């Protein structure tokens, strides 16, 4: 996206248009107070900024609309018009957008009418240059809201006002504002290409996959709970069937039956129960039912008593283990205190009575005449402690094995208790629902068997395995998307892109003969400034003296960034607008004299600056446009050919030409703004 023209519309309906050359250096030169610096604000305003772009006074009263014509890479054009705020107001959020082909020109004043907001205008133009829906999520705990990367953020990389280009602390447009500086830190990685172009789509896919994973995990939990409940229900139902004589009663102390065994026995029980009502039912007598229920209650009590005993045994083992651990800790402390006795030499196996083992000084190594009885006592105490510690350590694995055995016995006992409770519960349930009549009890249990067998396939293990397989597939998909959105991967790519920008920046700085350009120079994204690595010490821009260096590094850094944008085809306008780049150079009085033979150093520096910009634009062969407003007017053919407007010459009325024609600045009241 490059600038075709900028048009001003007066309150009387007059239009003044400044044309620009695409893919070239465009210079607007002139005297002071001709409106050069306002031009940068007007372009910023047409990119969607809401602040009033003019100074208060006659100029503000004379202007009604401002508009620009943009040309896109595909040849299409867009006119973007902005009504200026009414006098007394400071902001405006309205815009007019008209799309067309390469023949599109600025409309007449009578055709101007707002049809967009600035936000929608930015979205429309951003999509035309390829800004995708990249969403920035502030760090957790931040008070900032998530926002979408757009044309307004790209514009911060394309403008340099008069006071910004000479700043020693910030290098980007409006980066002295904290919010805009943070927006730059968040969006510059996207514009450099370190963030996936389809980041928003990937994040949407990730959220969808994560929601599906939660649903599947919930379904799996329900299926597993049903499967576990089915086993218990089948066991309980088999006991009920045995209680009414439909099948043999399972042994309470035996190992639990598998699901297949339970289903087989219940199918048989259901078949046994299916008999004509005229036949004698195969049910037990009421006394047998009562006896079976009492036996089940007794077995439940026995199983519960056994479980209580096992739990008590486990508690004792745990207490003993904890006390043994505390005792071992105390022995370790005492042993550690006596460990220094090992500094004395021990007696060998064949020299147990040799007194030198306890008569040797641990400091100098000399052997005394009389053994030290204290050393003998300390060593004996240490040996006793070591022996006790070895016994405790040998006992620890045995205690662990005993705990494991008790845990297994507890699990078995819990199973027997569950089955006994199921048996008692089944008998009580049948009594409460159908009474004690054997035939009714048999029919009731048969009906329950049929109902359970009918829904048993819905909780089959195959279904659980299928859900688990789907969860594994979704987890892999989530992992793949998270890898594409990985901060580590983005950080590596960002560092790579910034290294490339740093190499170009260093090359341009050398061309401009800037201070420290013989070292590695780079952009510090965290501080939004230039860093020169001098003797392995980072030197920020504000510690590099003189406005010449500050301005030079501003231009070099922006050219390096835009070279990266072009190289990697990033969605940033192919435009750089610079205001007063020669302000850091003031020609000497001798340089102003005609016929001088010596070349002024400041003039050479200004020529070098413009020569770099001109060659950069030419090297990119129409892919980049630079617009410069400046006092400088270099007597070089290439510079003179680049001048599009010169506000030094007089118009036919003898007035110096300016951005806003003098004829617009009258004391007559303008018509009411619609």
């Amino acid at each position: 996206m490059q600038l075709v023209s900028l048009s001003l519309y007066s309150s009387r309906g007059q239009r003044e248009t400044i044309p620009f050359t695409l893919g070239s250096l465009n210079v607007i030169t002139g005297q002071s107070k001709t409106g050069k610096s306002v031009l940068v604000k007007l372009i910023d305003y047409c990119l969607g900024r809401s602040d009033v772009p003019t100074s208060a006074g006659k100029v503000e009263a004379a202007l009604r609309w401002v508009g620009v014509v943009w040309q896109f890479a595909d040849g299409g054009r867009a006119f973007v018009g902005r009504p200026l705020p009414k006098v007394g107001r400071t902001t405006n959020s309205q815009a007019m957008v008209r799309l067309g082909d390469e023949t599109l020109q600025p409309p007449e004043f009578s055709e101007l009418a707002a049809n967009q907001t600035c936000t929608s205008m930015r979205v429309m133009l951003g999509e035309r240059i390829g800004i995708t829906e990249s969403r920035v999520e502030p760090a957790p705990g931040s008070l900032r809201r998530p926002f979408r990367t757009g044309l307004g953020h790209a514009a911060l990389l394309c403008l340099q006002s008069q006071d910004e280009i000479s700043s020693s602390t910030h290098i980007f447009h409006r980066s002295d504002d904290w919010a805009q500086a943070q927006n730059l830190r968040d969006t510059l990685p996207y514009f450099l290409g370190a963030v996936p172009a389809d980041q928003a789509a990937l994040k949407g896919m990730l959220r969808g996959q994560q929601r599906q994973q939660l649903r599947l995990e919930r379904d799996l939990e329900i299926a597993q709970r049903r499967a576990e409940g089915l086993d218990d229900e089948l066991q309980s139902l088999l006991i009920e069937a045995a209680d009414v004589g439909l099948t043999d009663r399972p042994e309470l102390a035996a190992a639990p039956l598998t699901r297949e065994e339970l289903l087989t026995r219940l199918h048989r029980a259901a078949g046994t129960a299916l008999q004509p009502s005229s036949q004698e039912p195969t049910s037990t007598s009421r006394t047998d039912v009562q006896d079976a229920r009492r036996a089940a209650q007794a077995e439940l009590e026995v199983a519960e008593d056994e479980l209580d005993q096992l739990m008590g045994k486990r508690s004792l083992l745990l207490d003993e283990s904890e006390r043994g651990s505390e005792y071992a800790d105390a022995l370790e402390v005492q042993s550690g205190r006596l460990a220094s006795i090992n500094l004395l030499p021990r007696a060998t196996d064949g020299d147990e009575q040799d007194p030198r083992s306890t008569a040797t000084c641990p400091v100098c190594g000399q052997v005394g005449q009389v053994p030290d009885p204290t050393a003998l006592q300390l060593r004996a105490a240490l040996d006793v402690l070591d022996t006790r510690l070895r016994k405790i350590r040998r006992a620890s694995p045995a205690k662990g094995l005993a705990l494991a055995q008790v845990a297994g016995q507890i699990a078995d006992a819990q199973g027997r208790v569950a089955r006994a409770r199921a048996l008692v519960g089944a008998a009580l349930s049948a009594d409460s629902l159908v009474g004690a009549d054997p035939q009714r009890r048999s029919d009731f249990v048969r009906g329950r068997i049929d109902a359970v067998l009918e829904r048993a396939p819905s909780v089959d293990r195959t279904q659980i395995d299928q859900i688990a397989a789907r969860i594994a597939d979704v987890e892999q998909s989530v992992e793949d998307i998270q890898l594409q959105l990985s901060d580590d991967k983005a950080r590596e790519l960002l560092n790579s892109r910034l290294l490339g920008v740093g190499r170009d920046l260093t090359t341009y700085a050398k061309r401009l003969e800037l201070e420290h350009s013989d070292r590695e120079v780079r952009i510090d994204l965290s501080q939004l400034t230039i860093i020169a690595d001098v003797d392995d010490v980072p030197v920020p821009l504000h510690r590099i003296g003189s406005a010449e260096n500050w301005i030079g590094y501003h231009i070099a850094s922006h050219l390096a960034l835009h070279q990266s944008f072009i190289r990697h085809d990033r969605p940033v306008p192919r435009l750089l607008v610079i205001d007063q780049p020669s302000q850091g150079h003031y020609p000497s009085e001798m340089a102003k004299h005609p016929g001088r033979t010596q070349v002024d150093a400041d003039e050479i520096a200004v020529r070098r600056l413009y020569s770099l910009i001109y060659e950069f634009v030419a090297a990119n062969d129409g892919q980049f446009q630079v617009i410069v407003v400046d006092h400088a007017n270099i007597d070089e053919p290439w510079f003179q050919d680049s001048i599009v407007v010169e506000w030094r010459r007089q118009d036919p009325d003898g007035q110096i030409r300016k951005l806003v024609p003098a004829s617009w600045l009258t004391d007559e009241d303008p018509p009411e703004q619609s």
Side-chain angles (χ1 to χ4, degrees), residues 70-117:
W70 297 106
Q71 178 149 325
F72 304 105
D74 59 4
R77 289 186 177 182
F79 171 80
V80 177
R82 295 288 311 281
L84 270 72
K86 293 181 179 181
V87 176
R89 297 185 180 180
T90 57
T91 61
N92 184 284
S93 60
Q94 294 179 311
M96 170 185 173
V97 178
R98 176 180 290 180
L99 302 177
D101 56 18
E102 59 184 7
T103 62
L104 180 68
Q105 296 298 325
E108 297 297 330
F109 181 80
S110 60
E111 302 175 65
L112 298 175
N115 58 10
Q116 300 265 351
T117 64

Side-chain angles (χ1 to χ4, degrees), residues 495-609:
N495 290 336
S496 178
R497 294 290 167 88
L498 287 176
L499 285 174
V501 171
R503 286 191 294 269
D504 290 337
L505 169 57
T506 303
T507 300
Y508 300 147
K510 289 178 180 178
R511 285 284 307 278
L512 297 177
E513 300 181 7
L514 303 178
E515 188 176 351
H516 299 310
S517 60
D518 57 332
R519 312 297 177 90
E520 293 296 326
V521 188
R522 54 188 170 85
I523 294 178
D524 184 354
L525 190 58
S526 62
Q527 300 298 322
L528 299 179
T529 189
I530 300 294
I531 296 292
D533 293 314
V534 181
D535 298 330
D536 297 329
V537 176
V539 178
L541 182 62
H542 69 85
R543 293 187 58 199
I544 302 176
S546 85
E548 176 184 351
N549 286 309
W550 301 337
I551 295 171
Y553 274 118
H554 273 252
I555 292 177
S557 61
H558 279 77
L559 294 182
L561 280 171
H562 281 278
Q563 188 64 69
S564 178
F565 299 151
I566 295 171
R567 183 183 300 124
H568 300 290
D569 193 25
R570 301 304 301 156
V572 180
R574 301 292 187 254
L575 171 72
L576 180 60
V577 183
I578 306 172
D579 186 10
Q580 309 288 350
S582 68
Q583 62 180 291
H585 308 273
Y586 190 82
S588 65
E589 292 299 322
M590 291 299 298
K592 300 177 184 179
H593 292 172
R596 69 189 190 280
T597 58
Q598 293 183 346
V599 181
D600 185 76
D602 280 322
E603 183 178 354
I604 292 175
V606 173
R607 289 172 182 265
R608 192 162 50 231
L609 191 65

